[in-house]
Amino acid sequence: MSTHGPAEPADTGDAGRPTSADENSADPTATTPTGSAAASRGRGREAKKGSLLRELPVLLVIAFVLALLVKTFLVQAFFIPSGSMEQTLHGCTGCTGDRVLVNKVPYWFGEPEPGDIVVFQGPDTWSPEIAVEEPTNWFTGAALTLGRAIGVAPPSEDDYVKRVIATEGQTVECCDPQGRVMVDGEPLDEPYIHQDSPLNTGGSGGREFPPVTVPEGRLWVMGDHRSASADSKQHMDDQYAGTIAVDDVIGKAALIVWPLDRFTLLDSPDIQAGQADAAGAVGPEPAPVQDTAALAAPYVLGLGGALPLTAWRRRRRSRGARLTGPSRRPPGTGWRRVRRPVQTRPGRETHTD
């Protein structure tokens, strides 16, 4: 005869709640603290990956818009394929064509000055200096546009790079007894000239040309490689007397960025120093400081535009971390909340009719 009494029912605690000893057997889905942390980290990684994939198209659109704005208003890269600016800019056959950055900021507040190297769209009366094969489909067209934007593809046939010689109201002609170009009767100081045109030959191949007064809102431009440049002198017979419109200037060539062994700033010499001396001008030249500030302006503005985007992304990451971070449940408790049926909740009674 057994001395043991009937088996006692398991202690279910208050209102049938399982004790901590039976918790794991009552709920096999309960996780240990270590498993909970690992699951939380896994969810965090999945959330970050999903967030990045969702944000990637938006970031690409923002990057495209910023690049378009920078190209339109600040700086643009150009590939120099012609030899008309030798040897200030390399572009001749057999040479490594220079890639230059064209700065558009200086002409927000003023107009091109004598000595500036400018990139511009030539008038319809100018014949192209280079031949560019037109794209045959949308893909090659898009690739050509992108290549021109970053300066690795030849520019359009109507894009030119020359040096400003005279501005509106000035009279330019050639030559003085030493064979120099003159503006308003004073010879220019042009140490950059490479292979000047021959003297006393006559015709379009010679160096001489009669006086031309530059109309309002226009510029007289010439290449540094005078004997190989189709510039204002070569187009004196057109309706503009060889001049170009200030509004057609894209920007000022400010920096050679490729090849790296030619990385340098492009200066704007005071080629009309004789006119300034004749007018009694004195004092230091502010142009170098202004040019440096203008060159730095695009990068300062670009940094200012990037800061709000960076702050926005940081806020989104912080918010995502708060939403998907580890549980705030006290560590080491080992319990998991079990939802009770309505009938077993304290303070509730079931009424039947």
Side-chain angles (χ1 to χ4, degrees), residues 60 187 205 240 261 269 300 349:
L60 290 177
Y240 310 107
D261 59 353
V300 174
E349 296 181 359

Side-chain angles (χ1 to χ4, degrees), residues 2 17 71 83 114 147 150 195 234 256-257 261 264 290 301 303:
S2 174
R17 176 179 175 178
K71 175 185 174 182
I150 61 178
Q195 293 183 359
Q234 303 298 322
I256 299 176
V257 296
D261 59 353
T264 184
Q290 294 174 355
L301 294 175
L303 178 61

Side-chain angles (χ1 to χ4, degrees), residues 261-337:
D261 59 353
R262 285 180 50 77
F263 185 90
T264 184
L265 286 171
L266 295 171
D267 62 350
S268 299
D270 185 9
I271 62 175
Q272 294 187 8
Q275 284 83 340
D277 293 340
V282 294
E285 286 288 340
V289 176
Q290 294 174 355
D291 290 347
T292 303
L295 183 63
Y299 306 102
V300 174
L301 294 175
L303 178 61
L307 287 177
L309 177 60
T310 303
W312 172 74
R313 291 192 63 195
R314 288 177 62 88
R315 284 199 303 270
R316 285 186 61 87
R317 282 199 297 265
S318 299
R319 183 167 176 244
R322 288 196 301 269
L323 294 177
T324 62
S327 171
R328 293 189 175 88
R329 184 180 302 161
T333 55
W335 59 269
R336 187 171 183 270
R337 183 175 180 182

Side-chain angles (χ1 to χ4, degrees), residues 121-153:
Q121 291 183 340
D124 296 337
T125 54
W126 285 38
S127 57
E129 289 187 320
I130 59 171
V132 179
E133 185 177 353
E134 294 299 325
T136 57
N137 54 63
W138 69 268
F139 181 78
T140 55
L144 181 61
T145 300
L146 179 61
R148 287 173 177 170
I150 61 178
V152 297

